[in-house]
Amino acid sequence: MATNESGLKEYLVERIATRSSYDGLLRFPSYLEIETVNACNARCPMCTITHWKRAGRPMTDELFGKIAREAIEHAGDLKRVNLYRDGEPLLDKKLGPRVSMLKDGGVKNVCVSTNVSLLDEARSKELLGAGLDTVIMSIDSLDKKTFEAIRSRLVFEEVMANALRFIGLRDQLRPRTRIWMRMIRQRSNRDEWPAYQEFWSKRLGPSDRVYYHNIFNWGSQLTGFTPVARSYEPNLPCVALWSLMVIFTNGDVPLCNVDFNAKFQVGSVLKDGIAGLWRSERMNDIRQAHLKGSKSRIRICKDCNVWDEPSDERAVSPRYAEPVDIGGDGPASPRRRKAP
C-alpha cells in the first residue's frame, strides 16, 4: 500500500473523483451540507441528539441567501448540495423555496435526507415541484417493532405509507428525481439486509438505489457504540477534509460532519465565506496531519470510523456510480474507491 504523501494525494483525487488534480480539490468543496434547522422529531440510538449543545433555531433567510449565492457562484465545482445535517430537514417550513433558490441558480444536484415521517402528500408535491434532485429515505427496517425501536417516536405505518406514496408521486410528477433508500445497519437489524434490498428494489427505478451504511462512532462521541463491522481504512486520510463542508444554522463551520457540537470549529461563513474557510490555514494544517500519518493527535479523528464501508458487496450495486450518502445520521460519503 502506498503511504507516501504523493500516493495519498492520488488516492484522494481518485476516490473523490470530482476534480482532475489535487489542487482542484482545494479550490471549493465538492459537497455542501447546509443545516437549515437543528431539530428532530425522532430519537435514534445511532444519533447524538441527546448531546447536542447548539440552539435549535432555523437558519435565517439572510444567512441562507448568503450561502446560496456563493454556492451558485461555484455551481460548477459542486457535485451536490445537501439541505440537512443532524436533524430532520422537513421541520424547516421554508425547505421547498430553498431548494428552488439553489435550482434556479444552476446547482446541479440538491438533496435532502429524511426520516420520512413528515413527507406527506403536500410536502412531497412541494419538494418535487421545487426541483429536488435526490431524496434519501432513512427507513431502517421492514419490521414494525424493530423500526420503532430504532426510530423512536415515529410510527412505522405512517413512514411506510409516506415512502410508497412519494415513489408514486415521483414517478408521476418528476421521474428524474432519484430516491435512495437507506438502512443504517446495526445490531438489531443487521440480518435484514437481503429482504430489505429485495423489497425496495422491486419498487424503485433504475436510477434509484437501495443501500446500507454501518453504524459508526461519531469520532468516538456516540455513547454505547457497538460496531457491526470494522473500518477498512482506519489509517488513511479522511476524505471529508478534501470533499465536504458542513454549515450549521448560525453559520458556524465545524471540522467535519461528525463534529456535531463544533468542538473543532474551523470558522464562520459570516466572516470568511465558504471558499475562504475551505482554503484556510487551519484546514490545511489538519489536512497535512492526515497526510503525514499523524491524524491521531486530533482527538475527534483518532478512532473515528465514519468512513467504514459495507463488507457485503450487495450493499453497493455495480450499476450505481453515484456516491454513497448517509445523510442526517452521518456524512455524505464520496464514491467508494480502492485504497492505495
Side-chain angles (χ1 to χ4, degrees):
M1 183 176 73
T3 56
N4 61 77
E5 186 169 326
S6 176
L8 291 174
K9 288 180 177 180
E10 290 178 6
Y11 158 73
L12 289 164
V13 172
E14 175 65 11
R15 181 164 180 190
I16 297 168
T18 57
R19 303 286 190 275
S20 60
S21 69
Y22 178 81
D23 288 342
L25 295 176
L26 303 178
R27 184 169 61 244
F28 200 78
S30 300
Y31 301 88
L32 290 178
E33 288 190 358
I34 306 170
E35 177 192 71
T36 66
V37 62
N38 180 39
C40 191
N41 60 338
R43 294 295 182 271
C44 307
M46 64 280 191
C47 182
T48 55
I49 190 169
T50 57
H51 302 293
W52 293 357
K53 296 180 180 178
R54 296 182 291 113
R57 293 185 296 272
M59 181 175 283
T60 65
D61 291 341
E62 180 183 11
L63 176 55
F64 184 83
K66 173 180 173 61
I67 295 167
R69 286 190 293 273
E70 189 170 3
I72 289 167
E73 181 183 350
H74 292 270
D77 292 321
L78 286 165
K79 288 203 71 174
R80 187 168 67 240
V81 173
N82 306 311
L83 294 181
Y84 58 83
R85 181 50 254 152
D86 294 332
E88 170 50 49
L90 268 68
L91 289 170
D92 179 5
K93 301 302 182 183
K94 299 179 179 180
L95 188 61
R98 287 171 169 175
V99 172
S100 294
M101 182 183 297
L102 292 168
K103 292 303 299 178
D104 291 345
V107 175
K108 297 184 290 291
N109 190 349
V110 179
C111 172
V112 299
S113 173
T114 175
N115 64 34
V116 195
S117 63
L118 303 177
L119 194 62
D120 58 20
E121 183 172 357
R123 296 304 297 278
S124 296
K125 289 181 177 179
E126 177 190 33
L127 291 172
L128 290 167
L132 184 67
D133 297 290
T134 307
V135 59
I136 303 167
M137 297 189 183
S138 295
I139 301 177
D140 302 304
S141 177
L142 298 176
D143 175 75
K144 174 179 172 65
K145 183 178 180 180
T146 304
F147 172 87
E148 292 183 355
I150 296 174
R151 298 280 167 174
S152 179
R153 299 188 180 182
L154 305 187
V155 178
F156 175 75
E157 292 84 359
E158 293 177 358
V159 168
M160 290 294 289
N162 286 347
L164 293 169
R165 181 179 54 246
F166 186 89
I167 293 170
L169 288 170
R170 185 282 304 268
D171 293 347
Q172 175 187 351
L173 300 176
R174 197 173 190 272
R176 63 183 178 275
T177 295
R178 293 170 294 178
I179 298 171
W180 293 0
M181 190 63 63
R182 177 189 63 197
M183 170 195 286
I184 303 300
R185 197 172 72 116
Q186 48 207 283
R187 179 174 290 182
S188 61
N189 65 0
R190 63 181 302 168
D191 297 325
E192 292 186 38
W193 169 248
Y196 182 97
Q197 182 188 39
E198 180 180 10
F199 179 88
W200 289 114
S201 294
K202 289 179 178 178
R203 289 160 175 81
L204 296 172
S207 297
D208 300 323
R209 75 187 315 171
V210 184
Y211 68 101
Y212 71 75
H213 195 288
N214 292 321
I215 189 173
F216 58 94
N217 65 8
W218 291 86
S220 296
Q221 297 180 98
L222 182 63
T223 303
F225 170 72
T226 302
V228 295
R230 182 179 177 183
S231 172
Y232 85 102
E233 54 179 42
N235 299 313
L236 293 174
C238 178
V239 293
L241 298 176
W242 285 265
S243 61
L244 170 67
M245 178 177 283
V246 173
I247 305 172
F248 288 149
T249 55
N250 64 352
D252 287 348
V253 174
L255 174 61
C256 65
N257 33 23
V258 302
D259 186 14
F260 57 87
N261 278 326
K263 293 180 180 178
F264 301 87
Q265 184 174 331
V266 174
S268 171
V269 293
L270 288 169
K271 179 180 178 182
D272 297 308
I274 297 169
L277 292 174
W278 190 245
R279 304 167 191 170
S280 67
E281 182 178 353
R282 175 163 171 76
M283 280 298 297
N284 287 327
D285 285 346
I286 294 169
R287 291 180 182 124
Q288 280 299 305
H290 277 240
L291 286 173
K292 294 183 181 301
S294 56
K295 69 178 183 180
S296 62
R297 69 176 176 82
I298 306 165
R299 188 167 71 253
I300 199 171
C301 303
K302 181 177 180 181
D303 297 309
C304 183
N305 71 335
V306 70
W307 298 114
D308 168 41
E309 294 282 2
S311 58
D312 184 346
E313 289 295 334
R314 292 174 298 174
V316 185
S317 173
R319 72 176 178 168
Y320 298 125
E322 289 296 321
V324 173
D325 191 321
I326 60 175
D329 308 303
S333 168
R335 169 180 320 195
R336 181 174 180 165
R337 295 291 184 189
K338 185 176 179 181

